[in-house]
Amino acid sequence: DLKRLFISGAVVLLSCLVTFMTTYNVMQNRHRTEIAGLVEKYKDAEKTDETLEYMKAIVGSYFYGQSIEWGETESEDAAYRAYAAALNDKYTEYMSPDEYKSWTDKMNGNLVGIGVMVAYDSTKTQITVIASFPGSPAENAGLRKGDIITAVDGKKVSEIGYQGAVDAIKGESGTTVRLTVSRDGAEHVSEIERKAVRTLSVLSKLLENGRTGLVSIIQFDETTPEQFQNAVESLVKAGATELIFDLRDNPGGDLESVLSVLSYILPKDSTLIRIISKDGEVQTRESDSEHTLDMPMAVLTNGSTASAAELFTSCLHDYEKVTVVGTKTYGKGCMQSLFPLPNGGAFKVTTRMYEPPKSGSYHGKGISPDVSEEASEILKKSNLLLIDEKDDNQLQAAISALINNK
């Protein structure tokens, strides 16, 4: 896949599907009380069968699907994973303690590394810097957009491959990594100490026409609302009079994050989402911001635009705020809740369905664009974050759509 994106702070591959999540402590008060009872009952569970009983209790109360009968197995992790898999829901899964910690750090925007976003171009067997995180070790070391990482700790990327390079960049806080960096034909070596960093989930730039601001949302996490707002304000200050939100390959993310971004765009009290429980109870969430964004806007989508990214797209489309350009989205309209387990792991369970404020569910169907534009052969062979804007036919179609709508 030529469109793989890495955050080398922890070098997290973002092309996988990030589920649309809420944690158990932000559910409705009634659910919170019930879950507290479950936690109290099973808080001292240590044995496999006790943890499984807790998982079964969660399924019985909240799983948006058919529960199952389940026996016992010998291996603890295997038992937990097998039980989750047997529910036959691809979004329900067991997380080991290490996996749970890694997921939590990711969604909180906290990583350990050098703090640089890079893209891999397999046609050139090189890693290109897209951006350094603000205040990160990479930024302090002078790494900047367009730099090419040719070696890690003396090992050439062309020889060890991207995965070998990615693994070599990883490490614990306080340790160092030596990167050989090529810039303007000259190479230099930077020794960078790994530290805790905040992720970069939003990129932006003013396009060559001087009027169109491009905001690329990589995924929705805790860093996104502030970064999105800063990006929009900077683009408007630079002269942007219209915006394109690029959500291609955006796998989704956190509920509160996407709702906060939508609140920044839509008028206060606008309905943003309808959430349906397994009992058929419908809950709505509304915009709580006084700010609105009123200018021509478009959204770029593809088959990997999923979950929270689809809610962003469909919500703005329901209010006729955007033109959707590209290809049909993934089609995920179910929500997971995360239940910490007594063993330190977690049980991620599909608990609710959700729909945009006005249109129907897109779960299993996806969202069809207003302007259908398949990726060109050049675009298919390129990295979205590296391709020149003139070669991105879907981006050009979005620019044209904004012109035609004026």
Side-chain angles (χ1 to χ4, degrees), residues 1 24 31 118 127 137 140 151 157 160 171 176 204 248 258 402:
D1 183 355
Y24 73 91
H31 289 174
V118 299
I127 295 175
N140 294 336
V157 173
I160 63 176
T176 59
S204 63
R248 291 173 295 180
V258 67
L402 289 174

Side-chain angles (χ1 to χ4, degrees), residues 222 311 336:
E222 286 192 8
L311 176 64
Q336 286 66 50

